[in-house]
Each structure stands twice: as C-alpha cells, then as structure tokens.
Amino acid sequence: MGAILQDFGQNWMLYLSIPFVAALIGYVTKVLAIKMMFAPLEFKGFKKPYLGWQGVVPKHAAKMAGIACDTLTQQLLSPREVIERLDPERLVAEVEGPLRQTIDEIVEEVATTYQPGLWEATPTSVRRAMVRRVQDDAPRMLADILDEIKSDVDNVFDLKTMVVTSLVRDKELLNRIFLEAGDKEFQFIRRSGAAFGFLIGLVQMSAWVVFKAPILMPMFGLFTGWFTDWLALKMIFRPLEPKRYFGIEWQGLFLRRRKEVAAAYAELIAKEIVTPRNVIEAVLRGPLSDKVLALVTRKVDEELTRRTSIAKPLVVFAVGGRRYQDLKQRIAEMLMTKLPDTMSYVENYAADAMDIRNTLTTRMRELEPEEFEELLRPAFRQEEWLLIATGALLGFAVGEVQVIALELLST
C-alpha cells in the first residue's frame, strides 16, 4: 500500500487526468452519436451502404416520416377536421379580387384558343361585359366546389401522404421535428456523458493505480462509451410514470417535459407542415387531385349549361362536339392550375380557422405516456445498437491511447 501511495504522490497530476479523460470520452461519444443520428442528410462515402455513412433519421426518412405521421393523423388530427373548419363563403370572400383576375385570364385564353376570329371581332365593351358576367358567377361556383370538397374530404384530401411527402422531400425538416422536440434531451445526453464518464473514470483511475494493467484502460473506455449511451437513453424515456429511487422521484425526461414538448412540436407542425398552402396544394395537386378535377369539370359543365341554356346546341355546333368537351376540360384544368395561387390569399384566415397549433398542443398533452413517447423514440430506436456500439468502440480506442500516454509519461 505504501508503494501505491508513493507512486500516486509522484504522479498524482497524471492519474487525476484519467477521470477527466473519461469524462471527455463520455461527452465526445454522445456528441458523435447525436451527430450520426441526423447527419449527413445524404450518403457520404465510397460504396453505399457499406463504406460511408448517412444520418440514421435521413436514411430512414420514409419510415421515420410514416411513424411521425401515424401519431399525427391517427391520434391528433384528422383530414376532415382540417378541412371542415374552413367556411367556403368566407374563403370565397377572401379571394374575390384575385379570383376575378384569374377568371379574366381564363376567359381570354379560352376564347382566343377556341374562337380566335370571333373573339377578336367582338367589340371590347361586349367582351368586357361577357367577362364580368363570368366573374360574377365564379364566386358561387367556387363556393359550390369547396362545399363538395368538404362533404367528401376523405376522397379528395390525403393528409398522411401530404405529411410524409413533405418530410421525405425535406430531410432537414424531418430532422428538425426530432431535434426541436428533443432539444433538452439531447443536451442531457451530452452532459450526462461527461458526468457519468467522470464517475467511471474515478474507478478507472483507482484500478490503474493499483494494478497498472494496460488492458484496463481500453476496457474501461469501451464500458464508458457503451454504458453512458445506454444509461442516458434509459433516463430519457424511463420510467413512463414518476417513480421514487432511493428517495428521489424520477420520470423519463421526455415524458416529464410533456407540456413544453407539445407546444414546440405543435408550433413546428403548424408552421411548416400542416399549413394552409400545403393543404391547398395537396387537394389541388396531390395524389387525389384527379377526383377534384372531375368535380371541377362537372361544375364547369353545369355552369356552361346554365349559361348557354337553349343556345347550347348552337354553341356545340359552332365549336364542334369534341371541341366543346375539350373546352370544358381545358377550363377545368386551367382552374386547377391557377387556384393554388389564387387561394394563397386566404392563408391568414385559413391558419386562424384551422387552429392547428392549439389543437395539437391540447391533444398531445392528453396522450398516454406510451403514445407520447413515440414522438421522439423512433429517432433513437432505429439502429440504436449501432450508435451505442460506435460510442463503445470510440471509448476503447481512446483507452488505448491513454495506455500509451500513461506509460510514456510515467517513464
């Protein structure tokens, strides 16, 4: 014992560096693990998927987005709820000015395409009167279209596809969902790595002082990298409900921050994903837009029939039966093309009416602990073993370097 104490007295600065190096191992392995979860966005390396790396979340973007979307659409928000809060009459009132301009462009293009000579020969005052008549009818027709979309929303609006498409297309946004929802948890992982690493380093130091066995350092480094990763993840998500350990109450950090996480998550979803612009785009240009086009074509046909009335056979004769069908289809397609820009003027009203942020915040706070955990847990669960193993291997490598340094400095 005397020899051990004498050795420690002579090399105390060197030995005391061991727990600090262990703390550094714990911290660096956590920083690296978090980095590997989210970066790079695309594969970097020589031969995919073996010689290189892609962030775990971006690599599994479709799966991650699907999991996030399942929680969103199955437990928090339904497609019908998003659309039904919008009042067609109010929407039409908000876009009346832009709608009139859109109708002006459509009438001009259709007339010059299907009856260019007749349209050019018509006096300007007559042409303007014809355009105004169509413009006056357009709000009612648009309101009818919106009413029918609301009544059949499940067949014309695919909320899940909209969300998944947005997140797969924008992997950085997908990362932000997990990073912003789990901001405090990622901070805890980094800090706990240093704290736990320091405590393990004290044991490591004692073992080295007593035994001087070179294998101890890399083995302790491996254990530090592995154990601190594993323990940090456990402390984030477990227990789901508050429990007391040695007189101290503990609940998984993520579950304990339910109110704060719900507000941050809802804010991001409302501002970046389930927005009025994205909803309008999904309805008019999404995978179910062909059904909306059929609806618009039918409304155009009804409107043309109502306006031409008895003269309809003459109109059909003038332009030809096939061209008349083409004309209806062309008008409907132009409306579908121009409506997203026209409807952009309702975004402020629609955002207030849909009230996505407050709805999500309230409902997320009401989720069961197991359901709430799924907001963040998938980011860790996918290839979790690989992240922990990487931390362990890095700790082992640093331990080997420690052995070399200690032996050199001790001589």
Side-chain angles (χ1 to χ4, degrees):
M1 178 63 71
I4 293 175
L5 292 176
Q6 182 180 5
D7 177 49
F8 186 84
Q10 293 174 347
N11 300 286
W12 65 272
M13 291 185 65
L14 178 62
Y15 294 150
L16 284 179
S17 71
I18 293 175
F20 288 98
V21 172
L24 181 64
I25 293 173
Y27 179 80
V28 170
T29 55
K30 303 306 159 292
V31 171
L32 180 63
I34 294 171
K35 188 74 172 175
M36 290 174 66
M37 287 173 62
F38 299 103
L41 293 177
E42 303 296 339
F43 180 83
K44 301 290 184 183
F46 300 101
K47 187 174 182 180
K48 190 174 182 179
Y50 305 107
L51 299 178
W53 185 257
Q54 181 179 10
V56 173
V57 172
K59 178 181 178 181
H60 300 281
K63 184 175 181 179
M64 293 287 184
I67 293 171
C69 188
D70 284 341
T71 301
L72 178 65
T73 58
Q74 294 177 12
Q75 295 161 303
L76 301 176
L77 203 63
S78 70
R80 181 169 297 279
E81 190 173 22
V82 173
I83 300 295
E84 282 192 340
R85 293 179 177 181
L86 302 174
D87 178 9
E89 298 295 335
R90 175 68 185 276
L91 286 171
V92 171
E94 292 283 336
V95 300
E96 185 171 355
L99 180 61
R100 296 182 76 87
Q101 177 61 36
T102 297
I103 294 300
D104 189 357
E105 294 170 0
I106 291 175
V107 171
E108 182 74 25
E109 181 171 333
V110 168
T112 54
T113 299
Y114 288 88
Q115 288 292 348
L118 180 61
W119 184 251
E120 291 297 328
T122 302
T124 302
S125 59
V126 175
R127 279 188 287 175
R128 296 313 308 161
M130 293 172 64
V131 170
R132 280 195 300 271
R133 189 168 65 177
V134 179
Q135 288 173 329
D136 291 341
D137 289 338
R140 177 185 48 75
M141 185 179 76
L142 180 58
D144 289 345
I145 292 172
L146 295 174
D147 268 328
E148 292 212 24
I149 288 175
K150 285 184 64 174
S151 67
D152 195 26
V153 63
D154 291 328
N155 284 323
V156 298
F157 176 44
D158 188 340
L159 176 59
K160 181 172 181 176
T161 297
M162 183 195 82
V163 174
V164 171
T165 301
S166 297
L167 294 178
V168 172
R169 182 175 58 240
D170 189 349
K171 296 185 178 70
E172 186 173 356
L173 177 58
L174 178 63
N175 278 353
R176 284 179 56 201
I177 288 181
F178 293 110
L179 286 169
E180 293 188 17
D183 177 58
K184 296 290 177 63
E185 285 65 39
F186 292 121
Q187 290 183 32
F188 171 78
I189 288 174
R190 290 188 288 266
R191 293 168 182 170
S192 67
F196 295 147
F198 185 85
L199 294 176
I200 295 172
L202 292 175
V203 179
Q204 184 184 25
M205 176 190 70
S206 302
W208 175 263
V209 170
V210 173
F211 299 107
K212 292 288 195 307
I215 191 61
L216 285 175
M217 303 307 285
M219 292 306 296
F220 265 102
L222 184 147
F223 179 75
T224 300
W226 170 81
F227 180 74
T228 54
D229 272 351
W230 176 84
L231 183 60
L233 289 175
K234 284 292 183 184
M235 294 180 71
I236 287 174
F237 297 108
R238 293 293 182 272
L240 296 175
E241 301 288 353
K243 291 184 179 180
R244 299 192 74 83
Y245 300 94
F246 307 105
I248 301 175
E249 185 177 271
W250 183 263
Q251 181 184 18
L253 291 174
F254 189 63
L255 281 301
R256 196 168 65 190
R257 288 200 315 118
R258 176 186 293 249
K259 291 184 178 180
E260 182 181 344
V261 171
Y265 185 89
E267 181 78 13
L268 180 61
I269 296 296
K271 281 190 173 182
E272 302 283 356
I273 301 175
V274 188
T275 65
R277 180 179 291 274
N278 287 347
V279 170
I280 292 168
E281 285 280 340
V283 171
L284 297 177
R285 294 176 180 169
L288 301 179
S289 60
D290 58 326
K291 296 181 180 180
V292 182
L293 177 60
L295 166 62
V296 174
T297 303
R298 176 163 56 81
K299 286 296 179 184
V300 168
D301 186 39
E302 291 173 2
E303 192 63 25
L304 288 174
T305 299
R306 191 178 71 84
R307 271 298 172 191
T308 55
S309 186
I310 298 173
K312 181 179 178 180
L314 296 177
V315 174
V316 174
F317 177 77
V319 299
R322 182 178 294 277
R323 294 198 74 203
Y324 181 71
Q325 297 301 321
D326 291 343
L327 180 145
K328 289 188 301 181
Q329 186 70 20
R330 178 57 181 157
I331 293 174
E333 290 172 352
M334 291 179 68
L335 277 171
M336 290 285 287
T337 299
K338 294 178 179 293
L339 273 179
D341 291 333
T342 302
M343 297 297 288
S344 66
Y345 290 87
V346 305
E347 289 182 15
N348 290 336
Y349 157 71
D352 290 339
M354 291 191 298
D355 197 22
I356 300 299
R357 184 177 65 83
N358 289 328
T359 300
L360 289 179
T361 300
T362 300
R363 291 181 182 170
M364 285 175 64
R365 291 174 179 174
E366 296 170 352
L367 289 174
E368 293 297 320
E370 294 84 356
E371 296 169 337
F372 190 82
E373 179 190 22
E374 286 303 306
L375 295 174
L376 184 62
R377 192 72 177 95
F380 292 96
R381 187 181 294 119
Q382 193 72 39
E383 299 187 16
E384 181 179 299
W385 67 271
L386 182 58
L387 298 174
I388 294 176
T390 300
L393 290 174
L394 180 60
F396 185 89
V398 175
E400 289 282 8
V401 175
Q402 274 186 295
V403 172
I404 298 172
L406 285 169
E407 291 180 341
L408 287 175
L409 294 172
S410 297
T411 57

